[in-house]
Amino acid sequence: MKQKYERPTIRKMNTGLMNKFGTRTDFDPVESIDGVAVKDLVAQYGSPVFVLSEKQIRRNYQAALRSFKTRYPKVQFAWSYKTNYLNAVCKVFHQEGSWAEVVSGFEYHKALGNGVAGHQIIFNGPDKKEADLILAIENHSLIHIDHFDELYLLIQITQRINKTAKVAIRVNFDTGVYPIWDRFGFNYENGQAWTAINKIAKADKMELVGLHCHIGTFMLSTAAYAVAAAKLCQLALKCKNELQNPLQYLDLGGGFPSTNTLKGAYLPGVDTVPSVEDFAEAISNTILEAGFDTDELPLLILESGRVLIDDAGYLIGSVLANKRLSDGRRATILDFGINILFTSNWYDHKISVAKESGQYTEETVLFGPLCMNIDVIRESIMLPLLERGDQVVVHKVGAYNMTQWMQFINMRPAVVLIDQQAKSHLIRKPENLTYLEMMEVVPDYLKI
Amino acid sequence: MKLKANIATSENGFIFNPATGDSFTSNGIAAEILTYMKAGESEAEIKQKILDRYEVELCQLERDWDDYMLQLKEANLLDL
Amino acid sequence: MSVSPHLNQTKTLTIAVTGLNANDNPGPGLGVIRALRDGFGENLRIIGLAYETLEPAIYLSDQVDKTYRIPYPTAGVEALKERLQQIQEVEHIDVLIPNFDAELFNFIKLEKELLNMGIRTFLPTHQQLADRDKVNLQAFGNKHGLEVPASETILAVSELDQMADKLGFPLVIKGKFYEATIVQHISEAYKAFYKLQAKWGLPIIVQQFIKGTEINIAGLADGEGNTLSVIPMRKMYITEKGKAWAGITIADDKLINLAKAFAKASQWKGGFELEIMRDEKDRLYIMEVNPRFPAWIYLSAAAGQNQPRMLVDLALGNQVKELTAYTAGKMFVRYAWDNIIDVAEFQKLSAFGEL
């Protein structure tokens, strides 16, 4: 019986400068995802492949909802389409009771296509086309106004078509965190928000039903949400008291972080990132103490995306080659790069090997397959010795990658959903040349 | 490919280069190859021993051998 | 003396200590160990917990009985917990004293789980740790009426001019995590800003420069607003990095009261060090608050208040009464010692993680 082989390697013992920022190590192999073997997934769907866990998505959603509902009586989540708008994913959230939060015309149509009732679609963003706005008015969707030009346009449209729009305004303010996202919505401190509210109140065909804010992304401070909630509440109470216009809801937006580790962070995200419970506590307490009558408490809407899906997504990939760089460092080339793992730009993703391996590890640079120098997944990571064809699993990739990915040099791979019975389903086919060329037109004179 | 004469290896896989003061750890196969090299065995003899003892194809071993020699060279352990 | 003597204890007390590092900015570990050896005498087993193979105190076998490597703080709480569990099965640690700022977050997070394993600690809370962070120090001072140098956290180089007008030169420009530069005019300030931004990212802290005498205070507080020991030390010899290489205990009620006021305001629990600047008008500014014992902590024992031993007693739940008497005029003069070891010891620690 021959012994198991491992490539010979040596490692210099550390004698250099003391290093306050040691390297992270994640050695436990991940041989299956939700009971489905990684090698079976690759055999069936190819490599690379994105894998989503339905079980985890539902678990995240239910836990987040519970965190808020145990603290505040009226809570509604609206799935942030831009985070991951694969229809299968959206449908899971809608089944759980989530509304839709969209930021463009095509996302709006996607939500309708997924069977979401018009009045349960929140329409955000600075770019809403006139035709989209008309459709949203007719469907009684909640239109969140971003700027004065949009406000005036809406007033015009409602007069022209003689229909009432249900609107809210997006408000931005100083919550003590930077940068202030003051490019979206109306500023609170300089009175712009109040001016906008007054204009809506005076318009015949505009019904002000709520207030919206979205203070940032990957927010690590729960206190900032308390400040945001307090300012929204003040504004809402002012609407009621001065304009006799009580509001139905406050939309605190999204921005809760997942447990990914940001590049440059000293401690891992799993240990430092506040939980949804922490955010729920800060937001709920603030609204409950703001001074609303108990029977007039507004509905609390949350547009969480990342925190509900990031850790339900995996990217499986394979080693294309190993090489040694001119300075002696080890490099590993993988079949996925920043083209499909966009988030590697700001996270140090946890990466596991997909099979049991030896104790010995080496420091390596992880490159993607693109012929571009910037295609680096990790500048330095300790990994067991990998060979060509070995699989790796990247963790917590469910948010934004499947919407921000780019078709560049390579096609985008398949996306698979593992259902709650550990059965895998293809939810997006891998792209092919026909798909890619479908929209192309070659002028006749170039055809010969 | 000859190992420098005074390189000290221990049974735990430690390597110490008295000329530079560097210490290294090695995995099992790396240490084994070093032992053969120290005993003055030829490249072909060593490769054959590894092929006999481990689950590995020659083409794979060839590739890893070259890389290993590069590592030893980088580590200043080879007599060039 | 209010602490019951343990010199004749029969059961061996096992205490784990981190911060065995030393370069021109030494870790407090060895000072803590020395104070513990003074305080507990025989039947004391010291377990060193090290991140690096060349932390010098590892190799001082008359001070450290056994050393284990532990994962870097960056590896996270779970990795640290697993490693400490392994060590605990062998060593039965009674008390653990962390001595690094950067590791405290994780140890505080593990406080309850350590206790379940039988390891007692005496640590501040995460909130206390965050409040004294240099980014929050100004707010902390304002809130509790403690004098701190005026400082502002800025995110853009354009804010520098405004800060310079407000605070005047010289200014101290500080990085988010480490490093500070004293600048004399605006062009230097710009340069320092870019350099620190490149290295540690934003924000950058701009602080009023205060000229005066540097004094450090080592303290121990019970978490209920009371200080149990305060030892002020004036720096006599200062390294390029601003660390005391020699110092002398001084008696000044103003300093003691300041430490008491700090402990009361923050409800501090555990050891701490206040870095104080006394200006010409005898005003005391808190420049920085370190959430642990300082490297010169053995001086507290030498002057009559053995703070590490008192901390162990607090962790063990023993009654500890406040100490007020100490000897002024005790000095420490630091010495660097070339300890001789064999390469085999270094290799063993590197490969097996214990020595």
Side-chain angles (χ1 to χ4, degrees):
Chain A
M1 180 69 183
K2 287 188 181 179
Q3 293 179 43
K4 199 171 174 316
Y5 173 83
E6 187 179 63
R7 96 176 101 86
T9 182
I10 60 172
R11 190 167 74 204
K12 191 165 168 184
M13 286 180 182
N14 149 32
T15 54
L17 287 172
M18 306 237 178
N19 163 19
K20 278 189 202 269
F21 293 86
T23 36
R24 246 176 277 268
T25 48
D26 300 301
F27 299 146
D28 283 343
V30 173
E31 290 169 284
S32 64
I33 296 169
D34 273 13
V36 185
V38 168
K39 63 174 176 3
D40 293 346
L41 286 165
V42 169
Q44 197 174 349
Y45 304 104
S47 171
V49 55
F50 278 103
V51 179
L52 289 157
S53 159
E54 184 178 340
K55 202 196 284 180
Q56 191 60 38
I57 295 176
R58 291 186 190 271
R59 199 186 288 153
N60 287 345
Y61 180 85
Q62 288 159 9
L65 188 65
R66 195 164 46 241
S67 297
F68 277 93
K69 281 219 160 152
T70 49
R71 292 173 170 86
Y72 191 82
K74 286 150 65 182
V75 180
Q76 177 63 50
F77 276 80
W79 174 240
S80 154
Y81 264 48
K82 64 181 175 296
T83 308
N84 189 321
Y85 43 55
L86 290 169
N87 288 338
V89 170
C90 296
K91 292 223 176 212
V92 172
F93 280 105
H94 298 322
Q95 265 189 8
E96 288 288 338
S98 197
W99 293 0
E101 185 263 324
V102 303
V103 290
S104 66
F106 99 81
E107 284 190 6
Y108 186 88
H109 283 278
K110 236 173 172 331
L112 286 179
N114 283 327
V116 183
H119 68 280
Q120 294 182 346
I121 302 177
I122 294 169
F123 200 173
N124 279 329
D127 175 20
K128 307 183 192 81
K129 305 275 188 289
E130 193 165 331
D132 303 328
L133 285 172
I134 293 172
L135 189 63
I137 295 168
E138 285 170 346
N139 282 326
H140 311 291
S141 300
L142 305 168
I143 302 169
H144 288 183
I145 304 170
D146 185 74
H147 42 75
F148 277 111
D149 284 329
E150 186 170 76
L151 202 164
Y152 292 126
L153 177 64
L154 259 180
I155 292 176
Q156 258 178 34
I157 295 173
T158 50
Q159 284 168 346
R160 197 172 68 224
I161 66 172
N162 197 24
K163 282 186 174 149
T164 301
K166 295 173 91 167
V167 302
I169 58 161
R170 176 162 176 176
V171 186
N172 68 62
F173 22 56
D174 183 357
T175 58
V177 293
Y178 297 85
I180 300 178
W181 278 18
D182 57 358
R183 55 172 288 193
F184 303 110
F186 303 88
N187 186 254
Y188 172 84
E189 284 84 7
N190 69 10
Q192 220 180 38
W194 185 242
T195 309
I197 288 170
N198 275 292
K199 290 220 184 300
I200 295 169
K202 286 203 194 90
D204 287 340
K205 297 276 174 195
M206 302 270 272
E207 188 189 350
L208 183 71
V209 289
L211 292 174
H212 172 227
C213 70
H214 190 130
I215 56 175
T217 190
F218 216 90
M219 302 294 292
L220 295 169
S221 155
T222 56
Y225 280 89
V227 175
K231 290 186 174 175
L232 272 197
C233 287
Q234 281 163 19
L235 215 46
L237 287 166
K238 207 169 163 192
C239 288
K240 186 195 155 205
N241 298 333
E242 293 183 23
L243 302 174
Q244 283 70 50
N245 184 358
L247 300 182
Q248 293 164 21
Y249 68 86
L250 296 180
D251 182 344
L252 264 289
F256 301 159
S258 69
T259 54
N260 260 310
T261 303
L262 288 172
K263 275 193 192 302
Y266 184 61
L267 298 168
V270 208
D271 296 333
T272 48
V273 165
S275 68
V276 177
E277 296 242 329
D278 299 332
F279 288 108
E281 184 78 18
I283 293 171
S284 305
N285 286 348
T286 307
I287 306 180
L288 289 172
E289 287 161 14
F292 292 103
D293 295 335
T294 318
D295 55 339
E296 275 190 351
L297 276 173
L299 173 72
L300 169 60
I301 296 178
L302 296 145
E303 302 168 350
S304 293
R306 185 195 314 272
V307 74
L308 298 181
I309 195 155
D310 219 9
D311 69 351
Y314 302 84
L315 174 60
I316 301 175
S318 308
V319 175
L320 294 177
N322 281 311
K323 60 166 52 170
R324 201 160 287 281
L325 303 176
S326 59
D327 58 4
R329 278 184 306 159
R330 187 87 188 163
T332 301
I333 305 170
L334 299 162
D335 63 357
F336 61 86
I338 53 162
N339 52 332
I340 58 169
L341 193 63
F342 202 75
T343 51
S344 61
N345 283 313
W346 52 84
Y347 298 143
D348 279 344
H349 278 292
K350 174 177 170 175
I351 299 176
S352 306
V353 289
K355 65 170 190 197
E356 199 68 56
S357 51
Q359 289 292 307
Y360 211 84
T361 57
E362 65 185 350
E363 187 183 350
T364 182
V365 193
L366 293 183
F367 290 127
L370 306 182
C371 317
M372 283 184 68
N373 207 32
I374 57 161
D375 192 17
V376 183
I377 299 290
R378 279 291 284 275
E379 288 289 352
S380 163
I381 184 172
M382 294 298 285
L383 282 176
L385 308 183
L386 294 166
E387 299 297 346
R388 180 180 158 79
D390 283 352
Q391 264 98 43
V392 297
V393 178
V394 189
H395 299 254
K396 298 175 193 165
V397 302
Y400 293 103
N401 283 306
M402 280 153 265
T403 47
Q404 294 188 340
W405 54 3
M406 52 184 164
Q407 182 280 307
F408 173 62
I409 298 186
N410 282 331
M411 308 277 176
R412 287 173 282 210
V415 183
V416 172
L417 181 75
I418 300 179
D419 70 19
Q420 299 185 90
Q421 283 73 45
K423 193 169 174 303
S424 65
H425 304 266
L426 186 66
I427 61 168
R428 192 177 196 270
K429 295 178 193 167
E431 293 174 352
N432 57 27
L433 191 59
T434 318
Y435 164 83
L436 197 60
E437 290 179 344
M438 196 178 286
M439 309 308 276
E440 286 189 43
V441 181
V442 179
D444 281 340
Y445 74 96
L446 291 175
K447 278 182 179 161
I448 322 126
Chain B
M1 299 291 179
K2 210 169 144 263
L3 210 57
K4 278 188 177 156
N6 51 359
I7 301 296
T9 56
S10 82
E11 54 191 282
N12 291 321
F14 297 141
I15 306 160
F16 177 61
N17 183 349
T20 62
D22 287 332
S23 286
F24 303 85
T25 54
S26 57
N27 63 352
I29 294 182
E32 192 175 332
I33 294 174
L34 279 185
T35 314
Y36 298 143
M37 285 173 77
K38 271 184 82 173
E41 296 187 35
S42 73
E43 182 177 329
E45 285 169 330
I46 300 173
K47 282 182 182 163
Q48 192 52 52
K49 277 190 173 165
I50 298 296
L51 286 172
D52 292 343
R53 289 173 50 107
Y54 292 94
E55 271 179 69
V56 60
E57 302 293 328
L58 178 63
C59 62
Q60 169 87 44
L61 180 61
E62 288 287 359
R63 218 170 0 169
D64 294 343
W65 177 274
D66 292 342
D67 182 60
Y68 186 39
M69 291 307 133
L70 200 61
Q71 291 181 59
L72 294 178
K73 195 178 138 199
E74 282 282 337
N76 224 337
L77 295 170
L78 288 185
D79 216 356
L80 297 171
Chain C
M1 277 297 281
S2 53
V3 185
S4 57
H6 291 267
L7 294 175
N8 298 317
Q9 66 191 5
T10 46
K11 187 190 164 286
T12 300
L13 193 58
T14 304
I15 301 177
V17 177
T18 69
L20 307 181
N21 60 310
N23 44 30
D24 46 352
N25 179 14
L30 188 58
V32 168
I33 293 167
R34 210 173 149 204
L36 293 175
R37 292 221 174 269
D38 266 19
F40 291 105
E42 300 292 314
N43 290 330
L44 175 67
R45 184 168 161 79
I46 295 289
I47 305 300
L49 301 175
Y51 295 102
E52 301 275 353
T53 47
L54 283 180
E55 295 184 21
I58 297 169
Y59 301 97
L60 294 174
S61 52
D62 56 335
Q63 293 291 330
V64 182
D65 294 295
K66 170 103 188 179
T67 298
Y68 293 89
R69 288 187 77 183
I70 54 173
Y72 290 104
T74 50
V77 168
E78 207 45 44
L80 177 64
K81 187 177 120 192
E82 271 175 38
R83 179 63 172 151
L84 290 174
Q85 261 164 345
Q86 289 167 359
I87 298 170
Q88 183 63 352
E89 276 170 30
V90 185
E91 298 293 350
H92 309 292
I93 295 163
D94 297 302
V95 178
L96 189 153
I97 308 177
N99 290 305
F100 264 126
D101 298 11
E103 69 186 359
L104 272 182
F105 182 93
N106 289 352
F107 278 105
I108 296 170
K109 200 139 189 165
L110 279 179
E111 203 173 352
K112 283 202 186 76
E113 277 153 306
L114 289 174
L115 192 60
N116 288 339
M117 291 182 219
I119 303 176
R120 274 149 289 197
T121 53
F122 202 74
L123 299 169
T125 61
H126 280 133
Q127 190 61 49
Q128 289 168 340
L129 192 65
D131 286 346
R132 44 113 323 247
D133 192 284
K134 62 179 159 183
V135 177
N136 303 324
L137 189 64
Q138 173 93 58
F140 180 83
N142 293 348
K143 192 172 153 198
H144 299 298
L146 298 169
E147 198 104 49
V148 296
S151 80
E152 199 97 23
T153 303
I154 65 169
L155 286 129
V157 76
S158 57
E159 294 175 73
L160 272 176
D161 296 290
Q162 209 185 324
M163 294 307 304
D165 284 348
K166 198 166 135 190
L167 302 175
F169 285 102
L171 275 177
V172 188
I173 315 282
K174 293 175 142 186
K176 182 161 73 160
F177 296 118
Y178 303 101
E179 284 186 54
T181 316
I182 298 165
V183 297
Q184 302 293 344
H185 52 85
I186 195 75
S187 65
E188 275 181 23
Y190 276 81
K191 225 165 83 186
F193 181 98
Y194 288 123
K195 203 179 126 205
L196 292 168
Q197 180 191 13
K199 199 149 175 192
W200 304 110
L202 293 173
I204 299 289
I205 300 144
V206 183
Q207 196 176 70
Q208 171 192 10
F209 177 79
I210 293 176
K211 196 164 162 263
T213 313
E214 289 186 48
I215 296 162
N216 286 359
I217 305 176
L220 176 66
D222 66 359
E224 284 158 18
N226 310 304
T227 43
L228 300 168
S229 166
V230 181
I231 302 283
M233 177 274 289
R234 205 194 91 202
K235 294 184 186 178
M236 297 177 77
Y237 189 85
I238 300 171
T239 69
E240 274 177 26
K241 285 196 172 174
K243 307 291 161 186
W245 202 256
I248 185 163
T249 53
I250 52 177
D252 180 348
D253 285 346
K254 250 185 111 179
L255 291 166
I256 307 232
N257 290 336
L258 177 60
K260 283 178 183 287
F262 161 78
K264 194 169 168 84
S266 61
Q267 298 281 298
W268 193 264
K269 188 178 169 199
F272 64 89
E273 179 190 32
L274 303 182
E275 297 186 14
I276 305 291
M277 192 69 87
R278 177 155 60 193
D279 75 1
E280 300 151 332
K281 293 180 184 143
D282 205 26
R283 274 180 305 209
L284 300 175
Y285 291 90
I286 300 181
M287 308 301 290
E288 226 164 276
V289 179
N290 295 318
R292 41 143 184 94
F293 287 133
W296 56 273
I297 192 64
Y298 183 68
L299 187 65
S300 80
Q305 299 187 7
N306 191 331
Q307 292 184 2
R309 184 185 134 173
M310 294 167 80
L311 181 135
V312 168
D313 274 313
L314 285 166
L316 291 171
N318 298 334
Q319 178 109 37
V320 179
K321 286 216 189 95
E322 182 188 350
L323 298 184
T324 50
Y326 64 91
T327 317
K330 277 277 177 207
M331 285 172 58
F332 81 92
V333 185
R334 191 164 284 160
Y335 188 78
W337 173 267
D338 296 352
N339 193 25
I340 304 302
I341 63 161
D342 192 83
V343 68
E345 285 186 68
F346 164 72
Q347 288 179 334
K348 207 176 133 202
L349 180 69
S350 297
F352 303 120
E354 48 186 278
L355 182 71

